[in-house]
Amino acid sequence: MPMRPSKEWVAIKMAERGGRGSGGHGSLDKSITLPPDEIFRNLENAKRFAIDIGGSLTKLAYYSTVQHKVARVRSFDHSGKDIEHEPLYEISVQEEITARLHFIKFENTYIETCLDFIKDHLVNTETKVIKATGGGAYKFKDLIEKKLGLKVDKEDVMTCLIKGCNFVLKNIPHEVFAYQKDSDTEFRFQTNHPNIFPYLLVNIGSGVSIVKVETEDKFEWIGGSSIGGGTFWGLGALLTKTKKFDELLQLASKGQHTNVDMLVKDVYGGAYQTLGLSGNLIASSFGKSTTADKEFSKEDMAKSLLHMISNDIGQLACLYAKLHNLDKIYFGGFFIRGHPVTMRTITYSINFFSKGEVQALFLRHEGYLGAIGAFLKGAEQDNPNQYSWGENYAGSSGLMSTSPDVFPMQRTRSGTFDMFEMDRLERPLVNLPLLKDPSTYIPDTVDLTDDAMARKYWLTCFEEALDGVAKRAAASQPDSIDASERAEKFRQKYWNKLQTLRQQPFAYGTLTVRSLLDTREHCLNEFNFPDPYSKVKQKENGIALKCFQSVIESLDSLGWEERQFALVKGLLAGNVFDWGAKAVSDVLESEPQFGFEEAKSKLQERPWLEDSYSQWLERLKEGPPHKCALIFADNSGIDIILGVFPFVRELLSRGTEVILACNSGPALNDVTYSESLIVTERIAAMDPVIHRLDKGLAVLVRERETDLVIIEGMGRAIHTNYYAALKCESLKLAVIKNSWLADRLGGKIFSVIFKYEVPCK
């Protein structure tokens, strides 16, 4: 097996820009050097390929198997042993193989260099065929077959685009956005609807194709136009002597179309009131060129041309949407390609001709649709659509700002190579059956993309916590000789991601506290730190279990009403033990004896608790027992063992079945599913009221006729799901362990949230 040299680099010389026909800006030499494993990641384990070659850009797709570390826990056999000083369970780090999809976009200038690199590192491919789509699939067919030794199998362009579009709409939560140039937020991301069909796809390449997509496999071409991107490029070259598409758009962004176009007010002296036409509306594109005795600037002519073509496309799209009763129009193709000036003109046109009833929508990964679709065509025997996939933020470039002044070095690099990765998830994702309306469910409470003050605060929080997370990651693997080196690489990568998000908060869709945590977990996994808090959780679970019986005895000695309050107080006090909250981690680091009773004394109960708690207490007194309660648990240790389980025990005693839901994978000191099984097993051995049932959550929720949902913790009940509407009764409980957030909500640190909700009949 050929080995990759440790210092091998791919050197890329970008085409010179400027010179003649560039508006006199001179030559701009953009030379960059990138390590190959930042571009063609895990290429040695690539199994299957697809490629989409357009007029100027190549999009490569490949599937690889990724070997990474996972933390496993296994219960010890404690029978006949003194377990006082024995750990609760064994922790091991094991290797696991998962599937990953890689997508890379680069200029056609570099196709031969890239194919050479792929050929040199292609050692484990399982296929002799590469699926290809796009006009360049014909032009570069012989080169690809010669370089890679794979047979090129060409696929229909439109079929690939639609397959790719369906795939990203189903798998990426914040894929779709509306463009708002004059807003504080350039990109307004849309919530994914559970049913993505039907929709209209308007692909603007050389011409325009308009396709109605009804189902996964049913679509039809319903119209189009020969006036598209090729028209803008060709006429623009004639008018301005500028032959590069991007330079034409740059000219247009600086132009003023009213110097060239004849407006309604130029014809009628003002607005045309009878027809309700604004005076600033274009009456005739290039109309002034027939009457004015002067030369027009290249910028003004490019802008006028862009408006003319965009308005034509927008009107066509609106007419077809109305004819087919469709309200979702997605725009893509070379003409769009994330350029602000094209998105702005298309958006204006759609808004005008639809009278605001239809929105122009764009896709964050629009440039990859063809490559994704071609890959899916070649992988049909593996049925990738049966799985759920998630974007790997650690290996994806993210959406770049449309502003040339924002982070120019990153824009330059992204203009050369752009990366996008998706990981196959361990389990398929489905909507919780108890959601009142899945189509309107927005999990995150605060959109940091919009809220500049909150964004600045939370990014600073994550930056300040980064050194501590890196140290804990290294400490979690004391027997690894390179743990410190990998922890530093993690720190650098996550720091860079945070700086990108400061400049471009929309890079990975809507920015939230949840997405910041997800990005951190992705970066930790990238450098083989699957569970930095595993030993902390192991220790805290063991300590809490030793206190369980005394807590239960204390609760059982109370009267009914006093016990209900003590259970709620215990549930909230347990939630204090969150290593993700700096105010708490500082206390836990400096005061090792800080425990359950100390946490209770910190709670700021009233007036947060009174009204909602009274309603909950009344429900318990007067109403019948709930059939089944679904409880989303938060932290390990005291939280789940001394807070959640006594609450669970009380519900079980009332005749209510309980489903306990935990994370499938690690995140800070949150309890994981596998840890919860061991904890439940040990508690069940101490208390006959507790027993365990292991089954798929969504199935179980339906089978047991769940009529109560309890969501516990800041992450689950405040940062997310605070406004989630459910079909059944719900309790949302958390302790606010952040001074800034408490102040913003009008309380103090360690104030509590106790929100009891009953759905409207």
Side-chain angles (χ1 to χ4, degrees), residues 474-536:
S476 70
Q477 298 178 8
D479 298 329
S480 173
I481 59 173
D482 67 342
S484 295
E485 180 185 349
R486 286 185 287 113
E488 175 58 22
K489 288 180 178 179
F490 150 72
R491 192 194 67 78
Q492 290 175 358
K493 183 151 197 170
Y494 189 55
W495 173 266
N496 290 337
K497 292 288 182 184
L498 291 174
Q499 303 323 300
T500 296
L501 290 167
R502 276 198 183 276
Q503 300 291 338
Q504 299 159 183
F506 41 76
Y508 299 105
T510 300
L511 182 65
T512 64
V513 173
R514 178 169 59 102
S515 69
L516 288 170
L517 287 166
D518 285 346
T519 305
R520 187 167 69 185
E521 291 301 319
H522 292 181
C523 292
L524 281 166
N525 286 322
E526 186 76 15
F527 296 101
N528 282 321
F529 293 110
D531 193 354
Y533 289 82
S534 57
K535 295 188 184 299
V536 173

XYZ file of all heavy atoms in Angstrom, residues 474-536:
523
model
N -7.200 16.191 26.522
C -5.894 15.535 26.660
C -5.860 14.652 27.907
O -5.342 13.531 27.879
C -4.791 16.588 26.714
N -6.439 15.150 29.010
C -6.436 14.397 30.272
C -7.283 13.137 30.200
O -7.067 12.191 30.965
C -6.932 15.293 31.404
N -8.246 13.094 29.284
C -9.120 11.923 29.177
C -8.411 10.721 28.562
O -8.924 9.607 28.605
C -10.371 12.264 28.346
O -10.045 12.446 26.979
N -7.228 10.944 27.971
C -6.465 9.849 27.358
C -5.026 9.875 27.875
O -4.076 10.151 27.129
C -6.508 9.973 25.834
C -7.908 9.859 25.256
C -7.949 10.026 23.746
O -6.922 10.094 23.075
N -9.146 10.103 23.199
N -4.826 9.605 29.171
C -3.488 9.728 29.782
C -2.460 8.753 29.217
O -1.253 8.991 29.326
C -3.757 9.444 31.271
C -5.018 8.629 31.289
C -5.839 9.147 30.146
N -2.916 7.662 28.616
C -1.985 6.660 28.101
C -1.584 6.908 26.647
O -0.804 6.138 26.081
C -2.604 5.261 28.215
C -2.887 4.879 29.663
O -2.140 5.336 30.543
O -3.869 4.151 29.895
N -2.126 7.976 26.048
C -1.821 8.272 24.646
C -0.672 9.272 24.564
O -0.734 10.349 25.159
C -3.062 8.844 23.949
O -2.742 9.286 22.652
N 0.366 8.930 23.818
C 1.552 9.792 23.766
C 1.316 11.061 22.952
O 2.035 12.049 23.115
C 2.769 9.031 23.191
C 2.463 8.512 21.770
C 3.183 7.892 24.099
C 3.677 7.906 21.083
N 0.315 11.039 22.052
C 0.072 12.225 21.226
C -1.202 12.961 21.620
O -1.695 13.806 20.871
C 0.017 11.840 19.748
C -1.194 10.970 19.405
O -1.795 10.386 20.339
O -1.536 10.882 18.208
N -1.757 12.681 22.810
C -3.018 13.304 23.215
C -2.895 14.822 23.290
O -3.783 15.554 22.836
C -3.474 12.744 24.558
N -1.791 15.323 23.839
C -1.613 16.780 23.971
C -1.503 17.442 22.605
O -2.053 18.523 22.382
C -0.362 17.086 24.804
O -0.526 16.636 26.126
N -0.800 16.785 21.689
C -0.653 17.339 20.340
C -2.000 17.391 19.628
O -2.349 18.390 18.988
C 0.332 16.474 19.541
C 0.567 16.962 18.117
C 1.453 16.020 17.315
O 2.064 15.100 17.927
O 1.528 16.178 16.083
N -2.787 16.318 19.754
C -4.111 16.304 19.127
C -5.048 17.319 19.779
O -5.861 17.956 19.101
C -4.713 14.899 19.207
C -4.078 13.912 18.232
C -4.769 12.561 18.256
N -4.471 11.800 19.455
C -5.346 11.497 20.387
N -6.615 11.908 20.266
N -5.000 10.797 21.461
N -4.935 17.486 21.087
C -5.779 18.459 21.786
C -5.482 19.874 21.308
O -6.390 20.700 21.163
C -5.561 18.351 23.288
N -4.206 20.155 21.045
C -3.842 21.481 20.534
C -4.379 21.682 19.118
O -4.848 22.774 18.761
C -2.323 21.648 20.556
C -1.809 22.946 19.926
C -2.377 24.208 20.569
O -2.837 24.158 21.727
O -2.362 25.257 19.899
N -4.346 20.634 18.298
C -4.911 20.737 16.943
C -6.418 20.972 17.003
O -6.967 21.749 16.215
C -4.606 19.471 16.142
C -3.149 19.352 15.735
C -2.905 18.075 14.939
C -1.461 17.972 14.498
N -1.199 16.717 13.737
N -7.082 20.276 17.949
C -8.512 20.525 18.144
C -8.750 21.981 18.526
O -9.623 22.642 17.979
C -9.070 19.614 19.242
C -10.224 20.224 19.981
C -11.471 20.350 19.375
C -10.064 20.723 21.276
C -12.532 20.958 20.043
C -11.111 21.320 21.954
C -12.348 21.437 21.331
N -7.944 22.477 19.479
C -8.122 23.854 19.950
C -7.986 24.844 18.799
O -8.799 25.769 18.645
C -7.092 24.164 21.043
C -7.364 25.460 21.815
C -6.170 25.893 22.636
N -5.062 26.285 21.777
C -4.995 27.464 21.149
N -5.968 28.341 21.276
N -3.964 27.739 20.381
N -6.977 24.650 17.967
C -6.742 25.559 16.843
C -7.881 25.496 15.836
O -8.340 26.536 15.345
C -5.415 25.217 16.161
C -4.184 25.554 16.996
C -2.893 25.097 16.332
O -2.907 24.495 15.249
N -1.765 25.366 16.971
N -8.350 24.288 15.539
C -9.406 24.152 14.535
C -10.707 24.780 15.019
O -11.378 25.517 14.279
C -9.643 22.684 14.184
C -10.678 22.491 13.081
C -10.414 21.253 12.283
C -11.156 21.287 10.966
N -10.776 20.228 10.043
N -11.080 24.507 16.262
C -12.330 25.065 16.776
C -12.225 26.582 16.929
O -13.183 27.303 16.671
C -12.711 24.409 18.097
C -14.103 24.791 18.557
C -15.207 24.595 17.724
C -14.323 25.354 19.806
C -16.486 24.949 18.130
C -15.599 25.708 20.230
C -16.674 25.510 19.382
O -17.938 25.867 19.784
N -11.063 27.064 17.326
C -10.851 28.515 17.409
C -11.073 29.152 16.035
O -11.743 30.178 15.908
C -9.450 28.815 17.929
C -9.105 30.283 17.887
C -8.450 30.970 16.899
C -9.431 31.269 18.889
N -8.349 32.293 17.219
C -8.934 32.514 18.426
C -10.080 31.214 20.103
C -9.074 33.695 19.158
C -10.228 32.392 20.840
C -9.727 33.609 20.371
N -10.521 28.547 14.992
C -10.702 29.080 13.638
C -12.166 29.069 13.225
O -12.646 29.999 12.560
C -9.858 28.283 12.636
C -8.373 28.534 12.802
O -7.965 29.566 13.332
N -7.554 27.590 12.368
N -12.881 28.016 13.604
C -14.316 27.956 13.297
C -15.050 29.102 13.992
O -15.928 29.750 13.410
C -14.906 26.618 13.742
C -14.426 25.406 12.966
C -15.009 25.372 11.572
C -14.557 24.122 10.825
N -15.043 24.106 9.422
N -14.699 29.367 15.237
C -15.358 30.449 15.983
C -15.069 31.811 15.343
O -15.951 32.677 15.299
C -14.900 30.439 17.437
C -15.369 29.246 18.290
C -14.712 29.288 19.666
C -16.888 29.233 18.426
N -13.847 31.995 14.852
C -13.526 33.278 14.204
C -14.299 33.436 12.891
O -14.755 34.530 12.541
C -12.017 33.390 13.944
C -11.148 33.251 15.186
C -11.754 33.892 16.421
O -12.008 35.103 16.454
N -12.001 33.081 17.442
N -14.437 32.328 12.165
C -15.257 32.373 10.947
C -16.689 32.755 11.290
O -17.308 33.588 10.620
C -15.240 30.997 10.243
O -13.912 30.709 9.815
C -16.173 30.988 9.037
N -17.233 32.170 12.361
C -18.619 32.441 12.742
C -18.793 33.859 13.285
O -19.891 34.416 13.217
C -19.087 31.407 13.764
C -19.260 29.990 13.192
C -19.423 28.969 14.306
C -20.444 29.940 12.233
N -17.752 34.454 13.816
C -17.839 35.867 14.207
C -18.057 36.746 12.979
O -18.840 37.694 13.001
C -16.554 36.307 14.913
C -16.514 35.986 16.394
C -15.464 36.807 17.109
N -15.373 36.444 18.508
C -16.164 36.937 19.460
N -17.101 37.812 19.142
N -16.007 36.554 20.717
N -17.327 36.426 11.909
C -17.427 37.212 10.685
C -18.629 36.795 9.831
O -19.253 37.622 9.184
C -16.141 37.049 9.857
C -14.872 37.488 10.566
C -14.798 38.982 10.762
O -15.444 39.743 10.054
N -14.012 39.407 11.743
N -18.925 35.507 9.839
C -19.963 34.943 8.977
C -20.859 34.012 9.780
O -20.744 32.790 9.688
C -19.306 34.186 7.814
C -18.446 35.080 6.964
C -17.406 34.319 6.159
O -16.616 34.929 5.480
N -17.386 33.007 6.210
N -21.733 34.567 10.601
C -22.537 33.720 11.501
C -23.449 32.746 10.779
O -23.931 31.786 11.375
C -23.344 34.741 12.315
C -23.294 36.014 11.544
C -22.004 36.005 10.798
N -23.671 32.969 9.487
C -24.566 32.125 8.688
C -23.820 30.996 7.984
O -24.404 30.287 7.172
C -25.243 32.985 7.614
C -24.295 33.960 6.989
C -23.354 33.543 6.071
C -24.306 35.285 7.358
C -22.445 34.428 5.524
C -23.401 36.187 6.815
C -22.471 35.752 5.903
N -22.532 30.815 8.274
C -21.707 29.876 7.509
C -22.290 28.473 7.450
O -22.203 27.795 6.426
C -20.286 29.830 8.085
N -22.897 28.011 8.553
C -23.455 26.653 8.589
C -24.959 26.675 8.821
O -25.523 25.758 9.418
C -22.755 25.834 9.670
C -21.272 25.706 9.422
C -20.356 26.437 10.172
C -20.784 24.886 8.410
C -18.989 26.342 9.916
C -19.432 24.782 8.148
C -18.538 25.515 8.907
O -17.196 25.413 8.652
N -25.608 27.711 8.342
C -27.043 27.842 8.564
C -27.301 28.757 9.744
O -26.453 29.569 10.125
N -28.461 28.642 10.346
C -28.805 29.464 11.498
C -27.850 29.153 12.648
O -27.688 27.998 13.031
C -30.251 29.192 11.941
O -31.131 29.517 10.850
C -30.617 30.052 13.137
N -27.225 30.195 13.195
C -26.283 30.006 14.299
C -27.045 29.986 15.620
O -27.836 30.879 15.912
C -25.259 31.145 14.307
C -24.177 31.062 15.389
C -23.290 29.846 15.175
C -23.337 32.333 15.412
N -26.799 28.952 16.411
C -27.454 28.800 17.712
C -26.447 28.245 18.712
O -25.352 27.801 18.332
C -28.647 27.825 17.630
O -28.154 26.518 17.283
C -29.664 28.267 16.586
N -26.806 28.258 19.987
C -25.960 27.629 21.001
C -25.791 26.144 20.675
O -24.707 25.569 20.821
C -26.565 27.823 22.402
C -25.773 27.029 23.445
C -26.599 29.304 22.772
N -26.852 25.521 20.194
C -26.789 24.097 19.831
C -25.782 23.850 18.711
O -24.996 22.892 18.761
C -28.181 23.619 19.409
C -28.242 22.160 18.965
C -29.693 21.727 18.829
N -30.410 22.534 17.872
C -30.695 22.145 16.625
N -30.298 20.965 16.199
N -31.392 22.927 15.820
N -25.786 24.696 17.688
C -24.860 24.480 16.572
C -23.413 24.743 16.991
O -22.483 24.118 16.471
C -25.241 25.350 15.368
O -25.029 26.721 15.613
N -23.190 25.659 17.943
C -21.839 25.878 18.466
C -21.347 24.636 19.208
O -20.181 24.242 19.090
C -21.830 27.085 19.399
C -21.971 28.457 18.716
C -22.198 29.545 19.756
C -20.740 28.776 17.874
N -22.238 24.018 19.974
C -21.887 22.771 20.668
C -21.631 21.641 19.672
O -20.682 20.868 19.819
C -23.008 22.376 21.634
C -23.130 23.222 22.903
C -24.462 22.953 23.591
C -21.977 22.938 23.857
N -22.485 21.544 18.649
C -22.311 20.499 17.632
C -20.963 20.652 16.925
O -20.257 19.661 16.691
C -23.445 20.561 16.604
C -24.751 20.016 17.136
O -24.730 19.345 18.185
O -25.800 20.269 16.508
N -20.623 21.888 16.574
C -19.352 22.136 15.885
C -18.179 21.727 16.764
O -17.198 21.142 16.292
C -19.228 23.621 15.496
O -20.360 24.014 14.724
C -17.973 23.864 14.676
N -18.286 22.014 18.059
C -17.215 21.618 18.982
C -17.087 20.099 19.054
O -15.973 19.559 19.027
C -17.474 22.206 20.368
C -16.314 21.971 21.334
C -16.436 22.824 22.575
N -17.540 22.414 23.433
C -17.895 23.075 24.540
N -17.253 24.176 24.889
N -18.900 22.645 25.280
N -18.219 19.399 19.134
C -18.178 17.935 19.174
C -17.581 17.365 17.886
O -16.810 16.399 17.915
C -19.582 17.370 19.403
C -20.146 17.635 20.783
C -19.290 17.066 21.898
O -18.791 15.933 21.749
O -19.104 17.760 22.912
N -17.928 17.967 16.739
C -17.376 17.495 15.472
C -15.857 17.666 15.443
O -15.131 16.793 14.950
C -18.007 18.261 14.303
C -19.452 17.962 14.101
N -20.205 18.532 13.095
C -20.310 17.156 14.770
C -21.456 18.098 13.171
N -21.530 17.264 14.181
N -15.376 18.795 15.965
C -13.934 19.037 15.990
C -13.231 18.104 16.975
O -12.118 17.628 16.704
C -13.647 20.500 16.333
S -14.142 21.669 15.043
N -13.852 17.826 18.112
C -13.281 16.862 19.054
C -13.174 15.480 18.416
O -12.140 14.797 18.529
C -14.146 16.784 20.318
C -13.965 17.912 21.335
C -15.101 17.898 22.358
C -12.619 17.804 22.045
N -14.223 15.051 17.741
C -14.205 13.743 17.073
C -13.173 13.693 15.961
O -12.580 12.644 15.691
C -15.591 13.403 16.524
C -16.556 13.000 17.620
O -16.166 12.329 18.572
N -17.811 13.404 17.511
N -12.970 14.843 15.308
C -11.991 14.926 14.224
C -10.602 14.515 14.712
O -9.824 13.908 13.972
C -11.962 16.362 13.693
C -11.101 16.571 12.479
C -11.745 16.039 11.219
O -12.960 15.760 11.218
O -11.013 15.890 10.228
N -10.306 14.842 15.961
C -8.983 14.538 16.508
C -9.035 13.428 17.564
O -8.219 13.361 18.466
C -8.354 15.817 17.064
C -8.108 16.845 15.989
C -8.971 17.917 15.822
C -7.053 16.698 15.109
C -8.769 18.839 14.818
C -6.837 17.619 14.094
C -7.700 18.693 13.937
N -10.040 12.569 17.410
C -10.158 11.335 18.197
C -10.274 11.565 19.703
O -9.602 10.905 20.508
C -8.984 10.393 17.884
C -9.176 9.660 16.574
O -10.287 9.243 16.251
N -8.118 9.532 15.805
N -11.143 12.502 20.065
C -11.534 12.681 21.464
C -13.040 12.440 21.553
O -13.834 13.376 21.523
C -11.180 14.080 21.964
C -9.702 14.338 22.048
C -9.077 15.205 21.166
C -8.940 13.689 23.010
C -7.714 15.435 21.236
C -7.562 13.913 23.093
C -6.949 14.790 22.208
N -13.450 11.174 21.635
C -14.878 10.869 21.555
C -15.679 11.275 22.780
O -16.871 11.549 22.682
C -14.900 9.350 21.369
C -13.616 8.875 21.980
C -12.621 9.957 21.727
N -15.026 11.330 23.955
C -15.782 11.635 25.182
C -14.830 12.179 26.248
O -14.442 11.464 27.175
C -16.492 10.378 25.685
C -17.533 10.697 26.757
O -17.612 11.869 27.172
O -18.251 9.782 27.180
N -14.458 13.464 26.170
C -13.497 14.033 27.122
C -13.952 13.975 28.579
O -13.124 14.020 29.488
C -13.354 15.489 26.652
C -13.750 15.474 25.220
C -14.816 14.429 25.116
N -15.261 13.886 28.820
C -15.775 13.898 30.186
C -16.111 12.490 30.695
O -16.791 12.348 31.708
C -17.015 14.789 30.274
C -16.690 16.256 30.156
C -16.515 16.854 28.911
C -16.536 17.060 31.279
C -16.202 18.197 28.791
C -16.232 18.409 31.178
C -16.056 18.968 29.926
O -15.747 20.306 29.815
N -15.638 11.446 30.016
C -16.026 10.076 30.374
C -15.622 9.717 31.808
O -16.406 9.113 32.550
C -15.430 9.074 29.385
O -14.006 9.200 29.351
N -14.404 10.078 32.213
C -13.941 9.724 33.560
C -14.646 10.556 34.628
O -14.895 10.067 35.739
C -12.422 9.889 33.641
C -11.667 8.917 32.731
C -10.185 8.966 32.957
C -9.460 8.060 31.970
N -9.873 6.658 32.110
N -14.966 11.813 34.304
C -15.728 12.653 35.231
C -17.103 12.032 35.466
O -17.568 11.920 36.613
C -15.882 14.089 34.672
C -16.823 14.912 35.551
C -14.535 14.769 34.554
